[in-house]
Amino acid sequence: MAVSDQGKAGPMIGCGDSIVATETGPVIYASQVEAAMSGLLENKEIELGQSGLMNALAGSDLYYVSSTVSEGIVTVELTGELSSGGICDDPRIIAQLTHTAMVAAGTEEARILIDGVDIGESLSLK
């Protein structure tokens, strides 16, 4: 997440931030979605080195369960505890999860479920 850069580094999301793709090391998984989501969720660093990018998921304890692709939508099931720092972190969290899933699956849309509950609803319960 490029915080408050007004969409300069990537697609703009809530609070004037940009979602920015980063690279991870090679790991072999049966599913590209599993590889991408697991890599994202395992990273507990708040900042990505000296890049100025931040990880809104760093405080969450989420794990990949499964994913399916149907009619151009990737649905990702996660389990665990979601932690948000508030109103600006909510769109950051949603963007990190949905963009990662869409890029990995090659779809235009993603649906993220945490223990069977849509991510938007999960965040509204916080």
Side-chain angles (χ1 to χ4, degrees), residues 23-74:
E23 293 187 23
T24 60
V27 179
I28 297 173
Y29 287 90
S31 158
Q32 186 63 32
V33 176
E34 178 182 6
M37 297 302 290
S38 294
L40 176 65
L41 297 171
E42 289 168 6
N43 181 358
K44 299 303 178 192
E45 297 295 321
I46 295 171
E47 293 185 13
L48 182 63
Q50 300 292 322
S51 68
L53 301 177
M54 67 93 64
N55 177 8
L57 290 161
S60 294
D61 193 23
L62 296 170
Y63 301 92
Y64 174 88
V65 175
S66 65
S67 62
T68 58
V69 176
S70 178
E71 299 180 14
I73 301 170
V74 60

Side-chain angles (χ1 to χ4, degrees), residues 62-66 75-82 111-123 125:
L62 296 170
Y63 301 92
Y64 174 88
V65 175
S66 65
T75 300
V76 178
E77 177 71 42
L78 305 175
T79 190
E81 294 296 319
L82 177 62
R111 183 170 181 233
I112 308 296
L113 305 174
I114 300 174
D115 296 321
V117 178
D118 183 85
I119 183 77
E121 188 176 333
S122 293
L123 286 167
L125 298 174

Side-chain angles (χ1 to χ4, degrees), residues 1-3 5 8-11 18-22 48 53 96:
M1 222 29 73
V3 178
D5 83 334
K8 291 178 186 165
S18 295
I19 182 79
V20 180
T22 61
L48 182 63
L53 301 177
Q96 279 188 267

